[in-house]
Amino acid sequence: MPQKVISFVTMKGGSGKSTSAMCLAAHWYKAGVRVALVDADPAATLVRWIETGDDLNGLRAAATAPEAVAEQINTLKADGFQRIIIDTPGFRSLATDDAIRQSDLVLVPMRPSPVDFQVAADTVELIDQIVAERATWDGTVRFLMSQTTRGSVIARHMRAQMEAAGYYPLAVELSSRVVYGEAALAGSTPSFYQPRGGATVDIAAFVTEVEGLLSGTPGTGTGIKNRTG
Ligand SMILES: Nc1ncnc2c1ncn2[C@@H]1O[C@H](COP(=O)(O)OP(=O)(O)O)[C@@H](O)[C@H]1O
Ligand SMILES: [Mg+2]
């Protein structure tokens, strides 16, 4: 399994960065993948989450200062981790920029609201600027719809608006479910806490879609706005 770096980035708190990052990591970890987390948010959400219970104790997570993110990624690569997941703060910092530069996949989580969409679109502009400075960057950027109400009109509307604007959301949505918070309270994630529940079904589909993007499945495309050519 080739080494891949995935970061969760958006300039808005509460979008679902930390939750989505932890759920992705935990699902891989449970499946025996060597996965490590870089917690670049000064709030240390992921490190505290793991310390809260037993389920995720074996999952490596390093609280990392912004100026140390690039080096931390290299260290984890040298240590042989197959998947390195970076959680960034809800504001731009050196951590954000370095995470983007070194990522194979940047996920921009957003709740289904016009304000969240605007911030997500601004985030993609920022990503564009950062990677434009690189001679080569063949990473992929995708929006991830989070905390949607299943079957709601607003989620469908936001998805259509994104696609019309040339952005590509993942097909999977991490819809709003109480179990995310309940599992977090127990230092866990749905994959451990409620392995047969609906949230775990969503997370499994999320993992599958991410794996497809990382392995460059033909037809999924790469590039900032999913240029499929
Ligand atoms: N799919 C979801 N369903 C229900 N609650 C969620 C979901 N995703 C995130 N949350 C909750 O929303 C809040 C903000 O999520 P969080 O991942 O911390 O966002 P961010 O890291 O972007 O600030 C948390 O209380 C979290 O438990
Ligand atoms: Mg967070």
Side-chain angles (χ1 to χ4, degrees):
M1 193 185 243
Q3 293 181 307
K4 298 288 181 182
V5 179
I6 303 108
S7 59
F8 289 79
V9 176
T10 188
M11 304 300 129
K12 197 165 192 309
S15 305
K17 289 182 294 296
S18 300
T19 302
S20 311
M22 186 63 101
C23 289
L24 178 63
H27 201 86
W28 266 328
Y29 166 61
K30 197 180 173 204
V33 175
R34 287 204 67 207
V35 53
L37 287 156
V38 177
D39 188 348
D41 185 343
T45 308
L46 301 186
V47 169
R48 289 180 183 167
W49 187 335
I50 288 172
E51 287 170 352
T52 304
D54 296 332
D55 285 347
L56 307 177
N57 271 346
L59 187 52
R60 168 118 163 229
T64 307
E67 61 277 10
V69 165
E71 194 188 325
Q72 180 67 245
I73 294 169
N74 290 332
T75 300
L76 293 169
K77 279 185 172 172
D79 286 350
F81 284 96
Q82 298 161 312
R83 298 284 179 262
I84 298 161
I85 299 176
I86 308 162
D87 187 28
T88 64
F91 50 87
R92 186 175 177 182
S93 83
L94 183 58
T96 315
D97 294 20
D98 279 342
I100 291 166
R101 289 187 184 107
Q102 297 206 42
S103 285
D104 298 286
L105 175 64
V106 181
L107 293 171
V108 181
M110 56 169 277
R111 286 176 298 198
S113 82
V115 173
D116 284 70
F117 175 49
Q118 193 50 58
V119 175
D122 290 347
T123 301
V124 171
E125 296 311 317
L126 172 69
I127 295 168
D128 250 328
Q129 283 171 26
I130 290 169
V131 302
E133 299 157 9
R134 313 283 285 184
T136 56
W137 189 84
D138 62 356
T140 300
V141 180
R142 288 291 185 282
F143 286 172
L144 166 64
M145 292 184 73
S146 164
Q147 300 161 72
T148 54
T149 302
R150 267 155 290 150
S152 68
V153 170
I154 179 73
R156 277 206 305 277
H157 177 80
M158 293 312 302
R159 184 176 285 276
Q161 200 174 324
M162 266 185 262
E163 288 171 352
Y167 301 112
Y168 285 76
L170 293 181
V172 71
E173 289 175 19
L174 298 182
S175 64
S176 189
R177 298 182 194 260
V178 179
V179 69
Y180 286 98
E182 290 173 349
L185 269 178
S188 187
T189 69
S191 300
F192 285 91
Y193 190 80
Q194 209 176 82
R196 293 173 192 284
T200 301
V201 173
D202 289 348
I203 292 164
F206 175 43
V207 171
T208 300
E209 196 169 0
V210 165
E211 285 289 2
L213 288 168
L214 292 177
S215 64
T217 304
T220 54
T222 58
I224 301 290
K225 294 178 185 172
N226 193 39
R227 297 174 198 103
T228 47

